[in-house]
């Protein structure tokens, strides 16, 4: 069985946690920030986990 290649675009966007879950950054904090509430912008700064629906797809792209 050949080794699996890591999808480099996904490797820059996702990180695996110690328990095997996948972390991601939140979207919608790049531009047009004046119309967004301060609380919303602050909460978008953190990170969150990949949803269960996308977990299998993302974990195939970052096998290691």
């Amino acid at each position: 069985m050949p080794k699996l290649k890591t999808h480099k675009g996904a490797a820059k966007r996702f990180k695996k946690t110690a328990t095997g879950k996948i972390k991601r950054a939140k979207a919608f904090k790049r531009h047009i920030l004046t119309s967004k509430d301060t609380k919303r912008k602050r909460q978008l700064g953190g990170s969150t986990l990949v949803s269960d629906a996308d977990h299998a797809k993302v974990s195939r792209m970052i096998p290691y």
Side-chain angles (χ1 to χ4, degrees):
M1 198 63 194
K3 288 170 72 172
L4 296 170
K5 282 197 172 182
T6 300
H7 188 291
K8 289 314 215 175
K12 293 168 189 174
R13 289 168 172 82
F14 303 104
K15 293 281 178 278
K16 278 193 175 174
T17 63
T19 55
K21 295 174 184 169
I22 300 172
K23 270 177 30 170
R24 67 167 178 87
K26 290 187 182 170
F28 304 109
K29 200 170 186 271
R30 294 288 179 193
H31 61 103
I32 317 174
L33 297 172
T34 52
S35 60
K36 291 170 187 154
D37 193 40
T38 309
K39 178 184 175 184
R40 182 176 165 196
K41 289 188 280 191
R42 187 172 62 247
Q43 288 173 342
L44 287 173
S47 62
T48 185
L49 297 174
V50 169
S51 68
D52 292 335
D54 298 323
H55 192 274
K57 225 181 293 185
V58 176
S59 61
R60 271 199 304 273
M61 288 194 277
I62 49 169
Y64 304 112

